[in-house]
Amino acid sequence: MTSSALSAPPPHSDTHATTKASDGEEQALRRAADAGEAAAGWVRGLASRQGEEEHARALERVAEAIVRASSCEILPGSDGLLAEELRYTLAADVVLGASHTVGTRPELHPGELMPLITVCALAAAFPSCVLGNLGTELTALSDELAAATEAGRIATAAGAARACPARRPGTLGSDHADPLDRLAYRSVFDSAAESFEVALHYQGGHGEKARAQALHNALAAAGGGIAAAALLRVADDPALGLDPDQWEHLHLIAAELNLRVVEDLGGANGDGTTDPTQP
């Protein structure tokens, strides 16, 4: 990038005096500032990952430019032009970072590049909203900026997840060192054993048909708990990079399958180091 470090906001060259914003416009201005701060926070995260200090500084300048373009540069009654230094900083060559000096491009995960360009373009357009319906246009751009930022965050999380080492998930009861796993396994086992014995008793306790029916009942009793534990294993695997909504959705499904197992693995029924049936 060819931009220099940002200084204090320069005075605008327009000849129009700024005017006081209406209540609706003030609300839109606050919304724009919040969206800008969130976008800048994501960009600062990109900066913190850079191995080249020049790239890190360039992205830090971009983050600061986003904050200014979405807040103090939006002046009702002005000519709607963004300060020149901010236009350079938020230009499309943000994707090059400091490549003109270090010879490399910024380190970005797949999927981060387009949201970065979009975030910069939207932030640069914010000041021009004063030339139209400020409240409506600024709100629309703020929503798009928030969406672009979220897309960037998802790409960042996915990239971080891909960097996690692969691991083989364990089945319920396989982690003997985890007392909560043992507690949940015991709950599933007891339920299956009880169903097996009850079915065997009512089937007469002998014969191939009786054993088959008892086994069927035991599998039915254990299936929900085993599936619930598997879903929790998946939800908690960092390599998937699930967002909070996805994580919660899997936990809700697991709870519908077997709430007791979810509670056991979460520690709601004790730490698993004591026998809950003993006083």
Side-chain angles (χ1 to χ4, degrees), residues 82-123:
L82 185 64
E84 185 177 15
E85 63 173 320
L86 298 182
R87 289 203 302 272
Y88 280 125
T89 303
L90 296 175
D93 66 348
V94 66
V95 302
L96 302 177
S99 58
H100 64 290
T101 59
V102 300
T104 62
R105 292 175 61 172
E107 300 172 12
L108 298 176
H109 294 319
E112 287 180 331
L113 185 57
M114 190 55 67
L116 177 59
I117 297 173
T118 304
V119 161
C120 291
L122 287 168

Side-chain angles (χ1 to χ4, degrees), residues 240-262:
L240 294 179
L242 299 183
D243 63 36
D245 289 339
Q246 293 169 325
W247 182 91
E248 183 178 5
H249 181 64
L250 290 180
H251 274 249
L252 287 174
I253 295 176
E256 291 177 0
L257 288 170
N258 193 309
L259 179 60
R260 174 61 186 269
V261 165
V262 173

Side-chain angles (χ1 to χ4, degrees), residues 28-45:
L29 287 167
R30 288 192 295 270
R31 190 168 182 171
D34 290 342
E37 285 287 353
W42 172 62
V43 174
R44 291 190 187 101

